[in-house]
Every structure is written in structure tokens, then in C-alpha cells.
């Protein structure tokens, strides 16, 4: 889920996330499998309260009987984030809200 945090103007933020999904089932018609998803997020601060974000997922999937392995690029997403609210409640506590709009580019293999 996207957060309301964003970089300052002229600053870049690079974030890496790796997730592992394991699908196990005793049904022979629906074989088990697993997915490793590595997502790189690059965000750039355009002006105060406005930033641009690009998400690039790489997917490694193993499934089927006999086992089949695939690796590839997932769908890219590009978003513009506008912080509409930032209220300081104390030294570290803040309330933040952003409006996020964007598009997904179907660069993945589908499936």
C-alpha cells in the first residue's frame, strides 16, 4: 500500500522490497507453486508536496507438475503523488494524506 511520505524537491529515494508467496494444495488438479517478487521503487521529488514514483517488479515463479520455472519483468507502474495534508502533532508524530494517481504499463508476460 502506498504511503503518504515522499521525497523533498530534487531528491531521489530508492526502495527495494522482496516478497515470497508459497501456494500448497493437496488437489492434484491445482498443483503447488511459489513466487518470489522483487520490487524496485524509485521516487523523485518534483516540487514541495508533489513527487513522481516508478515501480519495477521482477518475478520468479515455480509451479506445475512437472515443475516449471519462469522469470521476468512484471507490469510497471508510474504514479504522481500530491500530499494534500501534513499536520505536525509533536516532535515525530504527524498526520499525512496524499492523492495518488497513475497508470500501469503492461510490460509483464501476463499469465
Amino acid at each position: 500500500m502506498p504511503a503518504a511520505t515522499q521525497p523533498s524537491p530534487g531528491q531521489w529515494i530508492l526502495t527495494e522490497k522482496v516478497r515470497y508467496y508459497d501456494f500448497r494444495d493437496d488437489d492434484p488438479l491445482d498443483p503447488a507453486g511459489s513466487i518470489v517478487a522483487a520490487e524496485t521503487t524509485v521516487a523523485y521529488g518534483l516540487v514541495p508536496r508533489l513527487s513522481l514514483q516508478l515501480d519495477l517488479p521482477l518475478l520468479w515463479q515455480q509451479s506445475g507438475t512437472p515443475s516449471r520455472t519462469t522469470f521476468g519483468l512484471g507490469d510497471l507502474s508510474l504514479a504522481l503523488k500530491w500530499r494534500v495534508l501534513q499536520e505536525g502533532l509533536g516532535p515525530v508524530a504527524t498526520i499525512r494524506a496524499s492523492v495518488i494517481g497513475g497508470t500501469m504499463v503492461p510490460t509483464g508476460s501476463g499469465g
Side-chain angles (χ1 to χ4, degrees), residues 92-105:
V92 292
T94 61
I95 296 174
R96 297 176 185 175
S98 292
V99 175
I100 302 170
T103 187
M104 185 169 288
V105 181

Side-chain angles (χ1 to χ4, degrees), residues 6-7 11-13 41-46 50-54 78-81 101:
Q6 61 188 41
Q11 298 297 308
W12 293 89
I13 294 179
T41 301
V42 179
Y44 180 72
L46 299 170
L50 187 66
S51 65
L52 188 63
Q53 181 172 313
L54 173 70
L78 184 63
L80 197 60
K81 188 186 303 186

Side-chain angles (χ1 to χ4, degrees), residues 55-93:
D55 294 324
L56 171 74
L58 292 175
L59 304 173
W60 177 79
Q61 182 174 358
Q62 186 174 18
S63 63
T65 306
S67 183
R68 189 182 97 183
T69 301
T70 57
F71 176 79
L73 181 64
D75 293 338
L76 295 174
S77 67
L78 184 63
L80 197 60
K81 188 186 303 186
W82 173 42
R83 182 180 297 152
V84 294
L85 172 68
Q86 180 175 348
E87 187 67 39
L89 301 176
V92 292

